[in-house]
Amino acid sequence: MSDDARTYHRARLIFAAATVLAGVGVLALGVRATALLPPPAPRRWIDLAGIVAVEAALLGAARELVTAPLTVAGGYWLPRRFGLLHQPWRRWLLDRAKATLIRAGLGLLAFEILYALLWVAPLWWLAAAVVFFAGDVLRVAVAPIWLMPLFHHLTPLQDRTLSERLTALAERARVPVLGVWVGDQSRKSRTANGTVTGIGRTRRMVLWDTLLRFPPAEIEFVLAHELGHHAHGDVRRILLLRGALLLAKFWIADRLLALGVAWWGWRGIADPAGLPWLALVLLGLGLAAAPLVNAYSRRIERQADDFALATTGNVAAFVGAIERLAALNLADRRPSRLEEWLLYTHPSIERRLARHAPRSRGPATAETPPSG
Ligand SMILES: [Zn+2]
């Protein structure tokens, strides 16, 4: 196991934790600020929408400002230092600007919807769970056609032999897909990946061009794993889990907004003075639910590996692909149990290998024969 990978992951974790803490700090200050200087009482819904927009914009801008140095350090400086990123500064900044704008737009929309529902619906939390669940489904459906093209230039795979091999694989897995596409990741980074993205008529295979440098059998394994997710209905399973969590999250938020009314004397739960508190509560609940979502994710990742091996029957390609991906992406092969449990959406490299190819584990864990 390389020390580089460990150092990189430690640093990344520290930057990520600092970013979360900074976000919490900004929202806590927002709670304090609205207690000292409450926003005016809205008479009509349109006034409420205006106040919510101003509050959300102020909080969002403050958060961006405070976390900007961490974003640059953790997203640009760190991966560049470890050879994972070679995208020029201006291109990187443009990508970040796009991502920030999308996040800001969606964040604003989310709070406008929440306050509109808080304004009109006694069971706002139930309505909010339904609306946000629908939004989640829509996001998954449009990801390959609207979101991915914003960050990668996607073209149909030119290599006919590989294209036919992967299409045949999808047929064997009984997962209908709309062609094989290639994204120009190599312009940004050496990291490799492949995915089957979208649902229904937007579902397609997308390979980063960095993955095309792998032997065909290994590319086939990566895509077989991805097809496994679709064969098992994992997109639906994750959407349903997230939907159930949305329901729980908004219900708890409803209770905590009522507490806020009692603590800070707001004019009801729809009072926009409660917005920073609501944002803080939702952030906290999201963080609290993450280990549960991650545990479920690791489970379906194991199942996707099982499916890929059952479909391809090629253990050597499995080991080759995992090793190559781990090296390219500078994976921490064996994080601590706690780290894996809290943060990992996939089982660690060592665990994935040990499950199917116990004897091919990396040198770090290879048992030395007893001497003498
Ligand atoms: Zn997977």
Side-chain angles (χ1 to χ4, degrees):
M1 139 110 235
S2 89
D3 287 343
D4 259 13
R6 182 130 296 172
T7 314
Y8 170 71
H9 283 276
R10 279 280 138 27
R12 220 167 70 121
L13 192 59
I14 289 167
F15 285 128
T19 305
V20 170
L21 279 180
V24 169
V26 166
L27 291 177
L29 278 177
V31 172
R32 189 92 193 97
T34 45
L36 292 172
L37 196 77
R43 289 176 192 286
R44 295 167 304 161
W45 170 76
I46 194 75
D47 300 334
L48 175 67
I51 296 169
V52 166
V54 171
E55 275 187 281
L58 284 174
L59 285 173
R63 187 194 172 277
E64 286 306 319
L65 221 64
V66 171
T67 57
L70 292 166
T71 309
V72 172
Y76 184 76
W77 173 79
L78 186 69
R80 258 185 107 81
R81 205 184 122 81
F82 284 88
L84 289 171
L85 183 80
H86 52 251
Q87 194 179 20
W89 166 246
R90 283 174 60 179
R91 289 252 158 218
W92 181 83
L93 212 56
L94 186 68
D95 271 359
R96 290 284 67 71
K98 275 192 271 187
T100 306
L101 276 178
I102 294 170
R103 211 176 44 235
L106 290 178
L108 178 63
L109 182 66
F111 278 102
E112 291 293 359
I113 290 171
L114 285 177
Y115 272 87
L117 292 173
L118 275 161
W119 184 260
V120 297
L123 288 179
W124 73 273
W125 52 273
L126 185 61
V130 172
V131 172
F132 280 70
F133 175 70
D136 212 10
V137 174
L138 185 68
R139 187 184 54 76
V140 171
V142 303
I145 49 175
W146 290 356
L147 295 180
M148 288 183 102
L150 289 175
F151 298 95
H152 287 98
H153 184 59
L154 299 175
T155 46
L157 175 62
Q158 296 299 321
D159 183 338
R160 281 274 301 276
T161 320
L162 183 61
S163 183
E164 277 163 18
R165 183 166 176 175
L166 295 177
T167 310
L169 178 71
E171 272 164 26
R172 254 187 296 149
R174 293 173 204 273
V175 178
V177 288
L178 206 99
V180 190
W181 300 73
V182 178
D184 56 345
Q185 174 74 356
S186 62
R187 282 196 306 124
K188 307 181 185 204
S189 166
R190 72 174 201 211
T191 56
N193 205 353
T195 179
V196 177
T197 169
I199 42 179
R201 271 183 291 176
T202 66
R203 182 157 54 202
R204 64 203 63 198
M205 294 196 241
V206 179
L207 321 177
W208 286 353
D209 55 359
T210 40
L211 186 71
L212 289 177
R213 298 166 188 163
F214 285 36
E218 293 180 15
I219 300 175
E220 188 179 48
F221 168 79
V222 172
L223 269 300
H225 169 105
E226 292 297 318
L227 288 165
H229 284 309
H230 289 263
H232 294 152
D234 289 349
V235 180
R236 193 177 56 234
R237 291 202 280 177
I238 284 281
L239 278 171
L240 286 175
L241 173 67
R242 282 211 296 251
L245 287 172
L246 276 174
L247 197 61
K249 229 159 83 164
F250 287 132
W251 181 79
I252 297 172
D254 179 59
R255 305 287 81 215
L256 290 175
L257 274 178
L259 265 185
V261 174
W263 286 338
W264 288 293
W266 304 328
R267 298 158 291 234
I269 57 167
D271 189 333
L275 190 144
W277 172 244
L278 177 60
L280 190 59
V281 163
L282 292 177
L283 173 64
L285 292 174
L287 289 173
L292 178 72
V293 179
N294 287 345
Y296 188 64
S297 173
R298 286 194 302 276
R299 184 182 139 93
I300 63 179
E301 290 300 338
R302 272 196 301 275
Q303 292 171 347
D305 272 352
D306 296 352
F307 178 91
L309 275 162
T311 310
T312 63
N314 191 340
V315 179
F318 160 74
V319 174
I322 296 280
E323 290 285 0
R324 222 179 288 274
L325 285 169
L328 271 182
N329 302 349
L330 207 59
D332 189 350
R333 300 178 62 103
R334 203 163 43 149
S336 70
R337 277 267 187 191
L338 181 69
E339 230 175 302
E340 190 171 348
W341 185 76
L342 282 175
L343 305 168
Y344 275 58
T345 55
H346 289 61
S348 67
I349 299 295
E350 296 292 348
R351 252 185 253 286
R352 284 178 83 176
L353 289 177
R355 184 172 169 87
H356 294 289
R359 273 174 309 159
S360 67
R361 286 201 287 178
T365 53
E367 281 155 19
T368 39
S371 53

